[in-house]
Amino acid sequence: MGADGRGDLASRSVARRLVVIGGDAAGGSAASQAKKRDPGLDVVVFERGRATSYSACGIPYWISGAVEAESDLVTRTPEQHRANGLEVRIRTEVIGIDTSRNVVSWRDLESGAEGEEPYDELVYAAGSVPMRPPVPGIDAQGVYGVQTLDDGAALRAALDSGRVQRVVVVGGGYIGLEIAEACRVRGLDVTVVDMSPTPVGTFDPDIGSFIADAVRGEGIELVLSDACGAVEVGPDGRVRAVVTASGKELPADLVVLGLGVRPNVRLAQEAGIPLGTSGGIAVDARMRTQVPGVWAAGDCVESWHRLSGQRVVVALGTHANKQGRVAGINIGGGYATFPGVIGTAITKVCHTEVARTGLSTREAGEAGYSFVTAVVDSTTRAGYFPGASPIRLKMIAERRTGRLLGAQIVGKEAAAKRIDALAVCIWNEMTVDEILSLDLSYAPPFAPVWDPVLIAARKAFDAVEADVRSL
Amino acid sequence: MGADGRGDLASRSVARRLVVIGGDAAGGSAASQAKKRDPGLDVVVFERGRATSYSACGIPYWISGAVEAESDLVTRTPEQHRANGLEVRIRTEVIGIDTSRNVVSWRDLESGAEGEEPYDELVYAAGSVPMRPPVPGIDAQGVYGVQTLDDGAALRAALDSGRVQRVVVVGGGYIGLEIAEACRVRGLDVTVVDMSPTPVGTFDPDIGSFIADAVRGEGIELVLSDACGAVEVGPDGRVRAVVTASGKELPADLVVLGLGVRPNVRLAQEAGIPLGTSGGIAVDARMRTQVPGVWAAGDCVESWHRLSGQRVVVALGTHANKQGRVAGINIGGGYATFPGVIGTAITKVCHTEVARTGLSTREAGEAGYSFVTAVVDSTTRAGYFPGASPIRLKMIAERRTGRLLGAQIVGKEAAAKRIDALAVCIWNEMTVDEILSLDLSYAPPFAPVWDPVLIAARKAFDAVEADVRSL
């Protein structure tokens, strides 16, 4: 590279250059895989923050203190990436992409210096931006996000100050509840505000109500079917309360925004890289955008949902890693595809585990499916075995065909990870009739002799048959 | 029924009669399902023991004291079955089947009375008999089995006597190790003798050695690649020691036989009901034997192994329940099939969990497959998450096609039940290439961002590709 920050054209003629925008899960994976497959490739990664390849999903557990050090969340530091032959520029933001000249322009956030970097291949892995409700006071001091490691550090510092006792979390989805738990573990008074009638609105209400009970049982207050209407600021310029849309005043020393995220596509849009119907960047199975030489991966892209057939944006580290890997393999001369998602998700709120895969009843209806459902209450071990704890499992099966469309699990210990078996069933388009005969593992410390999955499949099959008879 | 024990022919003309031999998992399920589907059916269940529909798999945990009462292991007592309209005769052994006259002859084990019972449909669910090595002293006082609830009661009484400190368990498979753990939990000195070089010989040696270390770490002595050569009896007529085939003398106050079981087919053989190549009763997908009107289910039948294509006998409560249900549905006028097995199994030895599905390397070789393997060491939670514990996962994939043929897991907490996802992969004949892209659940308390299953699939896929390049 020349001293002016422009690419050295002479070197471009001998080595292909890959530029990656974003150095977290997707960008880091893409860069690493491409370099591994094609060691001659020049790879430059731009990262706006201080850290690369870290677990954003782990931030709540760092906030709670369960994870001790920020560095525990980092899989690969910039130094480690550099040792693998990547050029990594942290605190450097890409501010423009010129797809006609194949260059990106960047700004060093410390020095303010700007420059350009040419590319042969570009990976757009700019991640997501947190949703911020457009309400008064939202930018006040004391309102925190939990999107990046830098956000996490700021929030943790605020909590460590000892001046915070009352926390309001705006949003009762996965991240909102995880942060609520973290604050509760720290002994704080926590209220969660969510627009849905039950928390984690991607679960059906009958599962969500179980989650609500569990969350309240942990001493977390839930304000449901409501929203953050305004953030009230005290004379000191700091947050004082959240006022909900319905007019409730929730005193708060600190507010955390846990409303989820939307794809960070601004730069891509400005550069004319087409988005899909979902608002994420449109990519094909190999993670190519519609602009030659430009790839995209991670929270900013849309994925094919294998059940609804729709394009969806799912911001999740595991997808970001897989998509980055696929892009990197392809850039490095290999062949790989990302086969889409089926909406699998899992979390733990204090002592309650929840998981889902496939479509919820609402999503199945929106996708045009007609279906039956079955809910069973069973135990995680044989009923007589010490430590057997309750597990509730719901299945959603298509009418007539009996194809499993979705499943949800809620329970205490050793419950939620069982969703994976059902995710594989859905992936393979199995019917509940097929599922009830599966050779799943059985021993008293792990399951009743009829595994909860099999019992639910039997019940769902009965529902399918009863429905067929009624047609 | 007539007073002489013969069937009342007049009543046969109005109600079909189902006779079931064996009142545990398979027999109890068959009887219940048939009666549920066809309430007009006369159902008579003969059970040699005192109990019906109990969890034989739970016996070790009753021995250890983890399960308090014998009655906890019973799903349905004879009285409960009777309340559902079944005629249940406990302590009554069927001693002959006449398939030309459609009658069984029986003996009341209490009174010695004998009689005959006619049937229209017969379910043979006689279970299994424990293997007994044909060595001197094997019938001595102090040698116990753990096959039936009555066996368990006898063993528990012996241990409760307080005169037992040194226990030798013959056989280091699932049941042998479970009993060894139970005795260890009771504070006894336990030695396990097994013919394989590693315990649970159905696991590959590299997984088995991990199990061996764990078992020894719990203070259980393992004598491997050896066998019970003789049981030495003291002057009081009681067991004094086990002498191994290699000549080791293992002092013992009590010996438990945990060598596994073989199908109990004697009566069926005498009646001309054909066995299959595996030694179990041959049945079709609806659990019909080759004799009209005679069905069979449970430990005494052979099943189709979906990977090897062979017929195998797998004595496992979960299969027995499913097969009994299938027989009962068909007898009751419905339609159901048992689609075979893939060799899934799971157990826990003290703090170590192990599980397998599909074929081991030895079994895959015997079935004619050529394969590659991959072993990964990962963690059950994100590496930085408190409580993350080690998990080792092995995959066996077919050469060229990459089809998953088998998987084995060993770990501490929250490890083994993950085998179910892989069982579903195998059931659906997925390749490791397909598996590595699966949408499995991810959150730091449940998995690293690359789930151990996905990491193993990636590594197995690399092995498949390397092998293809070498061809």
Side-chain angles (χ1 to χ4, degrees):
Chain A
M1 232 185 54
D4 62 353
R6 287 176 177 272
D8 178 338
L9 292 177
S11 78
R12 282 188 67 196
S13 63
V14 291
R16 270 199 316 154
R17 171 159 300 194
L18 165 65
V19 167
V20 178
I21 302 175
D24 197 7
S29 294
S32 302
Q33 276 291 338
K35 184 72 181 176
K36 190 172 146 196
R37 296 253 164 180
D38 181 359
L41 193 69
D42 274 349
V43 183
V44 185
V45 178
F46 290 98
E47 168 55 46
R48 190 168 52 174
R50 291 171 298 121
T52 52
S53 302
Y54 61 89
S55 171
C57 325
I59 292 172
Y61 308 101
W62 176 45
I63 302 294
S64 74
V67 174
E68 261 181 51
E70 179 184 342
S71 60
D72 292 340
L73 298 180
V74 178
T75 310
R76 271 193 201 161
T77 61
E79 292 68 34
Q80 288 168 322
H81 278 303
R82 286 171 192 141
N84 288 333
L86 309 183
E87 184 177 337
V88 178
R89 305 204 205 154
I90 57 168
R91 298 286 293 143
T92 306
E93 185 168 11
V94 171
I95 52 177
I97 305 168
D98 185 338
T99 59
S100 62
R101 292 194 300 131
N102 275 27
V103 294
V104 301
S105 44
W106 51 262
R107 178 185 301 138
D108 182 320
L109 296 177
E110 303 292 343
S111 68
E114 296 190 0
E116 283 188 349
E117 184 72 24
Y119 64 81
D120 297 292
E121 309 283 344
L122 177 70
V123 172
Y124 188 94
S128 53
V129 287
M131 309 261 217
R132 291 178 81 83
V135 299
I138 197 71
D139 297 317
Q141 215 187 335
V143 179
Y144 290 84
V146 281
Q147 162 75 0
T148 64
L149 209 50
D150 294 335
D151 292 340
L155 174 56
R156 206 182 138 122
L159 295 176
D160 285 346
S161 74
R163 287 179 307 189
V164 173
Q165 183 56 38
R166 294 167 307 180
V167 175
V168 171
V169 178
V170 180
Y174 300 104
I175 185 71
L177 291 189
E178 286 161 8
I179 285 292
E181 171 186 353
C183 293
R184 190 72 197 126
V185 166
R186 292 179 72 119
L188 306 178
D189 302 327
V190 185
T191 304
V192 176
V193 185
D194 195 81
M195 290 176 71
S196 305
T198 52
V200 203
T202 55
F203 282 81
D204 285 350
D206 50 352
I207 301 291
S209 64
F210 195 107
I211 302 173
D213 290 347
V215 168
R216 288 192 171 114
E218 302 286 351
I220 294 168
E221 199 179 327
L222 285 177
V223 177
L224 299 170
S225 304
D226 207 344
C228 173
V231 176
E232 240 180 52
V233 182
D236 58 353
R238 295 188 54 83
V239 161
R240 190 167 68 182
V242 164
V243 181
T244 71
S246 78
K248 280 199 187 74
E249 185 171 316
L250 309 171
D253 306 317
L254 189 146
V255 174
V256 187
L257 299 178
L259 285 168
V261 295
R262 55 183 175 75
N264 183 9
V265 294
R266 190 183 46 80
L267 267 185
Q269 275 184 297
E270 289 169 5
I273 300 167
L275 306 187
T277 48
S278 71
I281 294 171
V283 288
D284 68 9
R286 297 181 75 178
M287 307 310 295
R288 289 184 288 217
T289 71
Q290 287 167 31
V291 176
V294 181
W295 311 70
D299 292 2
C300 57
V301 306
E302 60 175 25
S303 301
W304 176 54
H305 194 298
R306 294 170 67 98
L307 283 161
S308 70
Q310 303 294 314
R311 294 279 165 172
V312 293
V313 174
V314 183
L316 203 55
T318 181
H319 298 326
N321 269 287
K322 286 193 202 111
Q323 292 168 342
R325 173 179 172 274
V326 165
I329 289 173
N330 288 316
I331 292 166
Y335 176 80
T337 58
F338 182 74
V341 301
I342 56 172
T344 310
I346 191 169
T347 193
K348 187 167 174 291
V349 187
C350 301
H351 299 98
T352 299
E353 301 181 359
V354 294
R356 54 159 286 168
T357 186
L359 303 170
S360 66
T361 52
R362 185 177 53 73
E363 292 164 345
E366 285 169 3
Y369 288 111
S370 201
F371 53 82
V372 298
T373 65
V375 178
V376 300
D377 286 300
S378 180
T379 51
T380 53
R381 304 163 188 252
Y384 56 78
F385 198 88
S389 80
I391 178 171
R392 177 175 293 178
L393 210 152
K394 179 171 188 173
M395 281 191 184
I396 300 154
E398 191 183 12
R399 284 181 89 174
R400 304 192 80 126
T401 69
R403 175 155 69 112
L404 184 66
L405 295 176
Q408 296 170 41
I409 293 176
V410 60
K412 296 283 175 187
E413 156 265 9
K417 192 63 176 151
R418 293 165 194 246
I419 203 73
D420 285 354
L422 290 164
V424 184
C425 291
I426 288 178
W427 193 273
N428 288 286
E429 306 191 357
M430 294 182 81
T431 65
V432 288
D433 190 14
E434 291 166 335
I435 293 168
L436 67 81
S437 298
L438 280 171
D439 188 355
L440 301 185
S441 59
Y442 160 64
F446 299 98
V449 69
W450 282 101
D451 192 280
V453 165
L454 304 180
I455 303 174
R458 277 173 63 175
K459 194 164 174 186
F461 178 58
D462 287 346
V464 171
E465 289 221 305
D467 176 67
V468 166
R469 282 193 295 272
S470 77
L471 286 175
Chain B
M1 233 188 50
D4 63 351
R6 283 175 181 274
D8 179 338
L9 292 177
S11 78
R12 285 188 65 195
S13 63
V14 291
R16 269 202 317 158
R17 172 160 300 193
L18 165 64
V19 167
V20 178
I21 302 175
D24 197 8
S29 295
S32 303
Q33 277 290 339
K35 184 73 181 177
K36 191 173 146 195
R37 294 252 163 181
D38 180 0
L41 193 67
D42 274 349
V43 182
V44 185
V45 178
F46 289 98
E47 168 54 45
R48 191 168 52 174
R50 290 172 298 123
T52 52
S53 301
Y54 61 90
S55 170
C57 324
I59 292 173
Y61 308 101
W62 176 44
I63 302 294
S64 74
V67 175
E68 262 180 52
E70 181 183 340
S71 60
D72 291 340
L73 298 180
V74 178
T75 311
R76 269 192 203 162
T77 62
E79 291 68 36
Q80 288 168 321
H81 278 303
R82 285 174 193 138
N84 288 333
L86 309 183
E87 183 178 339
V88 178
R89 305 203 205 153
I90 58 167
R91 297 288 292 143
T92 306
E93 185 167 10
V94 171
I95 53 176
I97 306 168
D98 185 339
T99 59
S100 62
R101 291 196 299 132
N102 275 27
V103 295
V104 301
S105 44
W106 51 262
R107 178 185 300 139
D108 183 320
L109 296 176
E110 304 291 344
S111 68
E114 297 191 359
E116 282 190 348
E117 184 73 25
Y119 64 80
D120 297 292
E121 308 283 344
L122 177 69
V123 172
Y124 188 94
S128 53
V129 288
M131 308 262 216
R132 291 178 81 82
V135 300
I138 197 71
D139 297 317
Q141 217 188 333
V143 180
Y144 290 84
V146 280
Q147 164 73 1
T148 63
L149 209 50
D150 294 334
D151 293 341
L155 173 56
R156 207 181 137 122
L159 295 176
D160 285 346
S161 74
R163 287 178 307 188
V164 172
Q165 183 56 39
R166 293 166 308 178
V167 174
V168 172
V169 178
V170 180
Y174 300 103
I175 185 72
L177 291 188
E178 285 161 10
I179 285 292
E181 171 185 352
C183 293
R184 191 75 197 124
V185 167
R186 292 178 72 117
L188 306 178
D189 301 327
V190 185
T191 303
V192 176
V193 185
D194 195 82
M195 290 175 72
S196 304
T198 52
V200 203
T202 55
F203 281 80
D204 285 350
D206 50 350
I207 301 293
S209 65
F210 195 107
I211 302 173
D213 291 348
V215 169
R216 289 194 171 112
E218 302 287 352
I220 294 168
E221 199 177 327
L222 285 177
V223 177
L224 299 169
S225 304
D226 208 342
C228 173
V231 176
E232 240 180 52
V233 182
D236 59 351
R238 293 187 56 82
V239 162
R240 190 167 68 182
V242 163
V243 181
T244 71
S246 79
K248 279 199 189 75
E249 186 173 316
L250 308 171
D253 307 316
L254 189 146
V255 175
V256 186
L257 298 179
L259 285 167
V261 295
R262 57 184 173 75
N264 183 11
V265 295
R266 191 181 48 77
L267 267 184
Q269 274 184 298
E270 290 169 4
I273 299 167
L275 307 187
T277 48
S278 71
I281 296 170
V283 289
D284 68 10
R286 295 180 76 178
M287 306 312 293
R288 289 185 289 217
T289 71
Q290 288 168 29
V291 175
V294 182
W295 310 70
D299 291 1
C300 58
V301 306
E302 60 175 25
S303 300
W304 176 54
H305 194 298
R306 294 169 66 99
L307 282 162
S308 70
Q310 303 294 314
R311 294 278 164 173
V312 293
V313 173
V314 182
L316 204 54
T318 181
H319 298 326
N321 270 288
K322 286 191 201 115
Q323 293 169 341
R325 173 179 173 273
V326 165
I329 289 173
N330 287 316
I331 292 166
Y335 177 79
T337 58
F338 182 74
V341 300
I342 56 171
T344 310
I346 192 169
T347 191
K348 187 165 174 292
V349 187
C350 302
H351 300 97
T352 299
E353 302 181 358
V354 294
R356 53 158 287 167
T357 186
L359 303 170
S360 66
T361 53
R362 186 177 53 73
E363 292 164 344
E366 285 169 4
Y369 289 111
S370 202
F371 53 83
V372 298
T373 65
V375 178
V376 301
D377 287 300
S378 181
T379 51
T380 52
R381 303 163 188 252
Y384 56 79
F385 198 88
S389 81
I391 178 171
R392 177 175 293 178
L393 209 153
K394 180 171 187 173
M395 281 191 183
I396 300 155
E398 191 183 15
R399 285 182 87 176
R400 304 191 79 126
T401 69
R403 174 155 70 111
L404 184 65
L405 295 176
Q408 296 169 41
I409 293 177
V410 59
K412 297 284 177 187
E413 156 265 9
K417 193 64 175 150
R418 294 164 193 247
I419 203 74
D420 285 354
L422 289 164
V424 184
C425 290
I426 289 178
W427 192 274
N428 288 286
E429 306 191 357
M430 293 184 81
T431 65
V432 289
D433 190 15
E434 291 166 336
I435 293 168
L436 66 82
S437 298
L438 281 171
D439 188 356
L440 300 184
S441 59
Y442 161 62
F446 299 98
V449 69
W450 281 100
D451 191 280
V453 165
L454 304 180
I455 303 173
R458 276 174 63 175
K459 195 164 173 187
F461 178 59
D462 287 346
V464 170
E465 289 221 305
D467 176 68
V468 166
R469 281 193 295 271
S470 78
L471 287 174

